[in-house]
Amino acid sequence: MKYNFDEIIDRSNNYAVKYDETKEKFGRDDLIPLWIADMDFKAADPIINALQERAMQGIYGYTSRPIEYFEAIKKWQLEKNNWEVDTSLMSHALGVLPMLANLMHTFLEKGDKVIIQPPVFHEFKNVIEAWDGEVVINQLIEDNGKYFIDFDDLRNKAKQGAKFMIVCNPHNPVGRVWSKEELETIANICIENNITIISDEIYSDIMLWGNKHTPMASISEEIRKHTITCTSSTKTFNLAGLQVATVIFPNVDMKNQYDTILKKIETYRNNAFSIVANTVAFTEGKEWFLEATTYIEENIKYAVDYINNNIPQIKVSIPDSTYLLWLDCRNLNLEGDDLVDFFVNKAQLALNDGRIFGEGGDGYMRINIACPRKILEKALYQLKNAVENYILDKYELISGC
Ligand SMILES: Cc1ncc(COP(=O)(O)O)c(C=O)c1O
């Protein structure tokens, strides 16, 4: 490997949300923070070099978006997903979440319904409600750690009308890569009911174990006409702080409506550094990205083996995608806040509480394993000790053994 992902990088001067906001969020700062979804890895050398070069120019004035910027995305999609994208249907956002907010702002009217599939990225619900939409729940079905779509329920809900369905493709937090057939079934239900699909593909590059991502809009021309695709370089290349994302519209009219809102709220431009990083990432970042994916796979194997062998009270499945593990902690028999309290105050870990992801999240915790192996080893060791010292002791007291 060219890159050393084992390197432990001090993020104390990094203004990292994951570290700097741990105390505010979890009440103490002596925790291993494995929550918000960025990586504790340095970015690819070509990106660092290009940013340094840009910084050394010393002029950071208003910045336009060169054609190479969108061309780089087009080329990446073609090479990676065999998907031919029209650059004239692309537009910008400060992130996929700002993009979702812009989409709601542009197209949603008070009371319009939007279907989501919890447990899912919590901000979907927040952003719909923030723009006065009504959230419609099509809860995923869990079967022995694997998640499936409840198509009967989706058909019923879709018939009752909705403006959008947000599909998390692939799915955060459960790690599913949806098959082409599953996506096609979703799309057909949406099309029959005149629902526009918003396909959030922010994690789509992080395909593990040779899995293949299917861009929703690539399935057929008919589906493309009903799909807005949200993409980004930020999860793939660990660039979230640069605040950049690209949306691909089904038609010019929708793009124009969206761009009008971007202009009205004056967030039409990129910042100077995001232009450079995004373009270089997609054109020169492949080696880093492939090595990072391998490291993530190794971390997942390590974590799953460790948990299965040492903490059998917690169930964990191997995800198809993402660098997130969805820990089923229901056998710890701790309810709600008590589970969070256990992770914070006994295991000294800052993870995401499964409840934030909505229906089906109670009793689960999400751990971000995109960190150097030594940190992961320490975190899991702390968890094992906490289970042995506090949970098993409790059982012994209860059962009188
Ligand atoms: C599915 C999904 N969409 C969007 C986002 C937010 O993306 P951004 O940082 O580009 O706003 C996240 C962040 O974790 C996510 O998991």
Side-chain angles (χ1 to χ4, degrees):
M1 281 222 196
K2 173 177 165 188
Y3 290 98
N4 177 14
F5 297 99
D6 282 331
E7 185 187 356
I8 297 175
I9 296 162
D10 176 10
R11 291 186 74 180
S12 59
N13 285 331
N14 196 227
Y15 304 116
V17 169
K18 197 191 271 173
Y19 290 79
D20 292 7
E21 295 181 20
T22 291
K23 172 128 204 234
E24 186 188 324
K25 191 172 162 69
F26 297 91
R28 47 196 288 183
D29 55 13
D30 55 351
L31 311 176
I32 301 182
L34 302 171
W35 54 291
I36 195 167
D38 65 13
M39 307 180 189
D40 287 332
F41 306 140
K42 243 185 216 169
D45 286 347
I47 301 176
I48 297 173
N49 294 339
L51 287 175
Q52 270 173 347
E53 206 179 291
R54 181 69 187 84
M56 291 311 289
Q57 289 174 6
I59 294 185
Y60 314 117
Y62 298 114
T63 307
S64 72
R65 226 176 270 134
I67 186 65
E68 300 86 62
Y69 175 83
F70 286 135
E71 289 294 341
I73 298 162
K74 181 186 166 93
K75 191 160 170 273
W76 180 264
Q77 286 294 346
L78 190 62
E79 273 175 18
K80 202 134 198 320
N81 299 319
N82 198 21
W83 181 33
E84 177 100 45
V85 192
D86 181 350
T87 52
S88 70
L89 294 178
M90 291 182 185
S91 190
H92 151 81
L94 292 170
V96 169
L97 186 53
M99 178 187 296
L100 293 171
N102 293 338
L103 288 170
M104 297 302 129
H105 187 174
T106 310
F107 299 109
L108 211 66
E109 280 165 29
K110 196 174 167 59
D112 278 346
K113 292 179 184 168
V114 183
I115 304 174
I116 60 171
Q117 299 180 300
V120 73
F121 179 52
H122 54 294
E123 298 287 2
F124 288 174
K125 178 173 187 283
N126 296 341
V127 84
I128 296 162
E129 289 179 344
W131 290 97
D132 292 329
E134 191 187 315
V135 174
V136 176
I137 300 297
N138 171 229
Q139 190 178 332
L140 296 179
I141 299 169
E142 188 256 345
D143 182 13
N144 206 14
K146 181 123 178 137
Y147 282 82
F148 299 91
I149 294 167
D150 185 342
F151 285 113
D152 290 336
D153 179 66
L154 180 58
R155 276 188 199 92
N156 284 334
K157 303 270 168 72
K159 267 191 211 140
Q160 291 160 39
K163 182 162 258 175
F164 291 117
M165 171 162 180
I166 308 181
V167 181
C168 201
N169 176 30
H171 194 99
N172 166 19
V174 309
R176 264 301 307 276
V177 168
W178 303 118
S179 69
K180 188 173 169 207
E181 290 68 33
E182 285 169 313
L183 293 170
E184 203 165 6
T185 310
I186 294 177
N188 288 338
I189 295 171
C190 286
I191 292 169
E192 274 162 31
N193 293 284
N194 202 21
I195 298 167
T196 300
I197 303 152
I198 298 178
S199 187
D200 180 337
E201 304 191 1
I202 193 168
Y203 276 107
S204 64
D205 291 324
I206 306 176
M207 289 285 121
L208 308 170
W209 334 110
N211 282 312
K212 277 292 293 165
H213 167 64
T214 307
M216 177 67 96
S218 73
I219 299 176
S220 71
E221 177 56 12
E222 181 65 359
I223 294 175
R224 189 199 68 74
K225 282 190 198 153
H226 291 84
T227 303
I228 299 170
T229 306
C230 307
T231 67
S232 174
S233 55
T234 57
K235 295 289 181 214
T236 317
F237 295 100
N238 200 27
L239 305 173
L242 289 171
Q243 297 195 290
V244 57
T246 302
V247 53
I248 305 164
F249 284 99
N251 55 59
V252 175
D253 182 45
M254 287 185 102
K255 174 184 151 57
N256 288 345
Q257 287 184 60
Y258 173 93
D259 283 348
T260 304
I261 293 296
L262 282 195
K263 282 181 185 138
K264 271 195 192 164
I265 59 174
E266 297 300 353
T267 57
Y268 182 70
R269 303 256 180 226
N270 284 72
N271 80 62
F273 290 99
S274 73
I275 292 279
V276 172
N278 196 68
T279 311
V280 172
F282 283 130
T283 49
E284 297 173 46
K286 196 167 169 192
E287 186 181 15
W288 180 94
F289 156 70
L290 291 175
E291 290 191 7
T293 306
T294 303
Y295 194 86
I296 287 164
E297 287 176 341
E298 292 301 320
N299 266 5
I300 290 175
K301 277 192 222 150
Y302 172 80
V304 171
D305 279 354
Y306 188 93
I307 292 169
N308 287 342
N309 292 330
N310 298 286
I311 325 173
Q313 299 80 358
I314 294 178
K315 288 198 240 156
V316 59
S317 307
I318 295 180
D320 307 326
S321 168
T322 78
Y323 45 78
L324 310 164
L325 291 180
W326 186 232
L327 305 179
D328 178 351
C329 305
R330 290 174 296 176
N331 284 342
L332 297 181
N333 290 321
L334 295 169
E335 306 261 305
D337 289 346
D338 290 344
L339 181 62
V340 177
D341 179 71
F342 167 77
F343 271 86
V344 171
N345 294 314
K346 303 293 193 281
Q348 285 182 260
L349 298 177
L351 310 189
N352 289 100
D353 177 357
R355 289 176 298 177
I356 66 167
F357 301 95
E359 290 73 2
D362 203 0
Y364 288 78
M365 300 292 287
R366 192 192 76 173
I367 183 169
N368 171 355
I369 58 79
C371 60
R373 180 78 39 82
K374 286 268 174 282
I375 305 284
L376 185 61
E377 285 172 6
K378 187 163 188 291
L380 294 175
Y381 180 70
Q382 285 178 200
L383 183 55
K384 168 182 164 299
N385 278 347
V387 170
E388 283 171 357
N389 292 334
Y390 297 99
I391 305 286
L392 298 184
D393 271 6
K394 197 174 86 176
Y395 281 134
E396 281 169 15
L397 281 176
I398 292 168
S399 63
C401 306

